Every structure is written in C-alpha cells, then in structure tokens.
C-alpha cells in the first residue's frame, strides 16, 4: 500500500473524528449514570450497581449517588420520616431499597415518587404506628414489602392501594388487633398477594365466615402463629382444615399456635391449639367449618350443583380432572352421565341423585411448574320429600306430647283449686246448720194445754215444743246451689227445758215476725 502526502492528512482527520466520538460517548455515559467511577459518597461503599450506606449515622440520603444503581442500603441510620424530597433525585433503575433499623415514624404520600420502579422495599424495625391512605401508590411494580417489627396498630383499607403486583407482605411483630381482611375482600384487595405474615401480633379472633370466601391460593400463604387467640372451636376447625390441606403456615409452625380461655384474658395459661383436640369440639362444629370452606356440599335430589376445585395451583396452564366415588375419571369436555367438568376446575352435577353422594377428588396438574395437588370434597345428596315426611311425623309426635302435658297441668290445677276439702266443708256445714237454726223464728203453742191428770201433769211440767220451718239457702263459696238440709219435709224438733212450772202465754213470741204463727190443730 502506498501513501502520498494527500492521503496522510485525510487519515489524521478521520482518527481525530473517532477520538471526538469516543469522548462524546463517555460524556453521555457520565450524564446518564451520574458520577464517574471513584466518585462514590464518602459515607457509602459502592460496588458496581450496589450502594451500601449502612450504620453511618445518616439522617438523610446522600445527594451524589449513582443514578445507575439498582440496590441502595440505608439500614442502621437516623432517618426519622419519609417525605416527597427525602430521596434527592430520580432513580429509575433502583429496584431494591433497604431502610430498616432507622427511626421512621411516619410516611407521607408521595415519598416514593423518585423511586417508581422499586420491587423490594424494606421498612422493618422502625417506629411506624399507623399506615395512612395511600402511601405506596407510586410503587406499582413493588413485589415484596417488609414492615415487620414496628409499632403498627392500625392500617387504613387503602394504605396498600395501587400495589397491584405485591406478592409478599410482612407485618409480623406489630400491634395489630384485627386481621387485615381488606387485603383480600373489597375495593383495594391485592389480587397477586401470595404471602401475608401477621404472626406475633395482638389478634385474638379471626373473621372465619368472611375468610371462607377467599380462594385457597391466598389462604395457603397466611401466617397466623404467635397470636394470643381465644380458644374457639370454629378457629380450631379452620386451622385443622388448613392442616389437612397441607398449608405450609400451619404445617411448619404447628407448635406455635396456642390459645387462652376467655376467663384468662391475660393469657397466663397458654394451651396448644393444634394438638389432640383438647377443646373437645363437636363433629358438627368441625363439619360446619369444612362446609363453609367448600369441603362439604349439600344438595337435594334433582338439584343442580356446581362444586369448585379450590386449588392453590390455579394459574394458566393448570389442568383439572375429577375422580368420582366409584373411581370414574371425569375430565373437561367429556360429559359422563350427569357430570361435567369445566376448564376452571369446577364440577357440575346437572341432576343430583342419592347415589351421587360420596367423596370426590379434584386433581390439579401444572406441567410447566411440575406441580400437582389433590383436593377432596364430600357431596351429600338427600331426599327432601322423605326428610319432610319424617319432620312432619316428628312434629306431630312433639305436638301430641306437648298437648298431653298441658292437659295434665290443667287437670291438676282444677283439682287443687276447684275441688273442696271434705273436712273443711263438713265443719262449715255444721256451723251453718246451727246458725240457721238459731236465726229462724220459733213457734210456740200459745193455747194452754188441756188439763191432765195430776200424775201426767206433773210429768209434763217444764217442757216446750218448738217447730222450725225448713229454710233453703244457697251455700256461698261453691259452684251452683246447695241445699242446707237434705229434705225440705224434715222439721226439727227441740225440747226445751226450763225452771218455769207454769205455761205463760206472754212467753210465747214469734221471732222475725209481727204476726204469731198458729199451727193447725
């Protein structure tokens, strides 16, 4: 190759242009990523895209940080609160932020506007007492949020609004007294939440009935151990159901579940909750909880029944099959008798019959994730007509027994209060006879008797004969009219003795009558 004087300047100019272009690229890189290598803040340690500023007694974030960093560690410092300007610049590539073991007591809305692409946020071991609404709305890509070991007593329903991709939320070792049900039900529920840790809080009771409507893929990630639960059969049934479903929060921490009696509110005597059914819960209570969570389904003959397959493996690509009590395989798009399986795993029984009762198994298979799960469901089919006839017979028997009891009580009351006592009645009857005898007029014979012989006259001296009229009066205090004397024709005679020897017409008087009554001769 030959070179002349004209070509040499041309080559020199080209090399100069290349050097200028390279310099421009370096300036552009510096403008995009911030400080050049070697300009790491003095209070931090920098390694590639990682910046660590731990335990440096910092009260705010350093201003000259790499803009290309992906991980920033600010743990063990003195940061007191988070406000919109606590991070001085925009860090679009930052996906991990650790601010644990600080003194953060409050978070203001807009505090994370300069870190919009965070996926991992650690705010554990701080002084947070409540979470307002909404404080994390800018973090739409956040997947893991750590808030454990704070002093949180209250969480607003919309505090986690906007976290549509949040998968794990750690709230253990706080002061929560109520389970945050709004995370699963309501306007601000988190549809991707697979793990919720509320262990070691102050929760004493669980909203079991409302939790029964939450799918198993969410329930299988709820950690409740270490809470001061009250001993309750419904709670025990729910945890036993989770244990039978092999939910890892219950299986892995079985010994951490304890409860106390309501008579012991301070929990001095902790009792193991998942050991040997010491609560002596009835089978009906346990079955009702299983029924609430979809483990038992009841139907009548002829009903249409749809049973969901509540599997934890319910994402796209999951294949569902059912196994009937008689070991028949029920698959989607294949109708077998009156059974049909949908692609979402639900089993339909179009016309339930008595022979359809039994234990069914739903098998969920995901070949991509190499996962499978089997869920057992019991279906009870009963005959409404037969049950109604039995109920009618039972009602008739109960009604007859009740009527007999009422009639017996009425008869006893009638006997006690309406039947007179024989002894008292006889005594009263005798007293009334004497009163009636003294109350009526006595009729004496006013005509002197004929002269008798001396011996007969002597024998009859001093005798008087009294004739009493029979009187009929009702006896008060009894039902109906009762005669004082048993026979109206009976006339009582009374022989009166006196010391007088001579009959005197003046001594013959009529009592209660102005005209003397003269007996017929």
């Amino acid at each position: 190759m030959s070179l002349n004087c004209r070509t040499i300047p041309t080559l020199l100019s080209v090399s100069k242009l290349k050097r200028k272009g390279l310099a421009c690229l370096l300036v552009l890189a510096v403008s995009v990523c911030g400080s050049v290598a070697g300009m790491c803040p003095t209070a931090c340690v920098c390694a590639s895209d990682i910046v660590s500023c731990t335990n440096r007694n910092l009260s705010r974030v350093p201003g000259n940080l790499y803009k290309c960093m992906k991980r920033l560690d600010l743990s063990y410092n003195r940061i007191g609160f988070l406000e919109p300007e606590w991070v001085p610049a925009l860090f679009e590539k930052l996906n991990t932020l650790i601010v644990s073991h600080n003194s953060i007591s409050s978070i203001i809305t807009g505090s994370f506007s300069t870190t919009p692409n965070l996926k991992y946020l650690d705010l554990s071991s701080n002084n947070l007492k409540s979470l307002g609404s909404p404080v994390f709305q800018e973090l739409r890509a956040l997947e893991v949020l750590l808030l454990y070991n704070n002093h949180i007593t209250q969480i607003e329903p919309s505090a986690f609004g906007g976290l549509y991709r949040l998968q794990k939320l750690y709230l253990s070792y706080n002061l929560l007294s109520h389970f945050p049900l709004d995370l699963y039900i309501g306007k601000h529920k988190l549809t991707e939440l697979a793990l919720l840790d509320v262990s070691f809080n102050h929760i004493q009771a669980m909203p079991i009935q409302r939790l029964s409507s939450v799918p198993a893929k969410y329930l299988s990630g709820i950690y409740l151990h270490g809470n001061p639960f009250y001993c309750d059969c419904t709670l025990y049934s729910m945890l036993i159901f989770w244990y039978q479903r092999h939910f890892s929060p219950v299986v892995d921490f079985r010994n951490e579940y304890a409860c106390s009696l309501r008579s012991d509110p301070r929990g001095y005597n902790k009792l193991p909750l998942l050991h040997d059914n010491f609560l002596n819960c009835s089978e009906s209570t346990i079955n009702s909880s299983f029924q609430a969570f979809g483990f038992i389904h009841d139907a009548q003959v002829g009903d249409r029944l749809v049973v969901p397959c509540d599997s934890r493996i319910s994402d796209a690509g999951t294949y569902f099959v059912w196994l009937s009590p008689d070991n028949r395989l029920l698959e989607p798009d294949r109708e077998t008798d009156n059974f049909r399986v949908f692609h979402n795993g639900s089993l339909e029984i179009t016309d339930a019959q008595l022979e359809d009762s039994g234990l069914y198994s739903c098998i969920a298979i995901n070949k991509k994730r190499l996962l499978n799960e089997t869920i057992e469901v019991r279906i009870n089919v009963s005959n409404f007509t037969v049950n109604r006839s039995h109920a009618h017979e039972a009602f008739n028997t109960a009604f007859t027994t009740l009527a007999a009891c009422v009639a017996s009580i009425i008869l006893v009351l009638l006997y006690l209060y309406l039947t007179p006592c024989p002894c008292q009645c006889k005594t009263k009857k005798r007293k009334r006879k004497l009163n009636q005898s003294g109350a009526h007029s006595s009729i004496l014979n006013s005509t002197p008797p004929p002269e008798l012989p001396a011996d007969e006259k002597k024998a009859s001296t001093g005798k008087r004969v009294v004739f009493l009229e029979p009187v009929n009066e009702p006896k008060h205090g009894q039902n109906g009219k009762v005669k004082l004397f048993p026979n109206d024709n009976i006339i009582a005679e009374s022989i009166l003795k006196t010391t007088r020897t001579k009959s005197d017409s003046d001594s013959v008087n009529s009592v209660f009558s102005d005209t003397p009554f003269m007996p017929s001769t």
Side-chain angles (χ1 to χ4, degrees), residues 129-317:
K129 295 179 175 59
S130 62
L131 295 177
S133 56
V135 293
F136 303 105
Q137 61 181 353
E138 298 91 2
L139 304 177
R140 298 183 180 275
L142 190 66
E143 296 178 356
V144 180
L145 177 58
L146 282 69
L147 292 167
Y148 64 85
N149 195 26
N150 276 274
H151 303 88
I152 301 174
T153 59
Q154 184 179 3
I155 299 176
E156 295 292 335
S158 59
F160 303 105
L163 302 182
Y164 302 112
R165 297 184 182 179
L166 188 65
Q167 299 176 10
K168 298 180 179 181
L169 177 59
Y170 295 86
L171 290 168
S172 58
Y173 290 96
N174 278 283
L175 304 176
L176 296 175
S177 58
H178 296 86
F179 180 80
L181 188 64
D182 296 319
L183 299 176
Y184 299 101
I185 299 175
K187 179 180 179 182
H188 303 284
K189 65 180 180 180
L190 306 179
T191 57
E192 298 295 328
L193 188 62
L195 186 149
L196 174 64
D197 186 359
V198 289
S199 60
F200 294 98
N201 275 270
H202 292 177
I203 302 174
Q204 295 180 327
M206 291 291 295
I208 297 175
Q209 293 298 327
R210 300 189 66 184
L211 272 178
S212 62
S213 61
V214 178
K217 68 177 183 179
Y218 301 119
L219 298 177
S220 61
I222 298 178
Y223 290 79
L224 298 171
H225 59 279
N227 281 283
F229 291 118
Y230 283 131
C231 296
D232 181 71
C233 285
T234 308
L235 176 63
Y236 168 80
S237 303
M238 182 191 75
L239 294 177
I240 286 295
F241 176 70
W242 290 4
Y243 186 81
Q244 293 182 357
R245 292 288 305 272
H246 302 288
F247 291 173
S248 57
V250 182
V251 175
D252 297 341
F253 297 94
R254 181 182 180 183
N255 296 329
E256 297 292 336
Y257 285 89
C259 66
S260 59
L261 300 176
R262 293 186 180 272
S263 59
D264 182 22
R266 296 189 178 182
Y268 291 121
N269 298 320
K270 292 289 185 179
L271 303 175
L273 187 55
L274 294 178
H275 288 276
D276 302 329
N277 190 16
F278 73 96
L279 294 179
N280 195 21
C281 299
S282 63
E283 185 177 356
S284 60
T285 303
I286 298 176
N287 289 339
S288 63
S289 296
F290 285 4
Q291 187 172 9
F293 282 93
F295 184 75
I296 300 177
H297 295 265
D298 295 326
Q300 300 294 333
V301 173
D303 288 351
R304 176 182 176 269
L305 182 64
V306 178
V307 181
C309 183
D310 193 12
S311 172
R312 292 171 288 175
I313 313 172
S314 58
D315 52 353

Side-chain angles (χ1 to χ4, degrees), residues 508-520:
V508 180
N509 295 322
S510 177
V511 183
F512 303 116
S513 176
D514 294 336
T515 306
F517 178 79
M518 303 299 294
S520 58

Side-chain angles (χ1 to χ4, degrees), residues 305-341:
L305 182 64
V306 178
V307 181
C309 183
D310 193 12
S311 172
R312 292 171 288 175
I313 313 172
S314 58
D315 52 353
T318 303
Y319 183 76
F320 298 93
V321 295
W322 284 79
L323 193 65
S324 65
D326 55 356
N327 294 324
R328 285 186 298 171
L329 188 63
L330 308 176
E331 301 179 88
D333 301 327
R334 288 182 58 186
E335 293 190 12
T336 305
D337 294 338
N338 59 338
F339 296 98
R340 180 184 177 187
V341 179

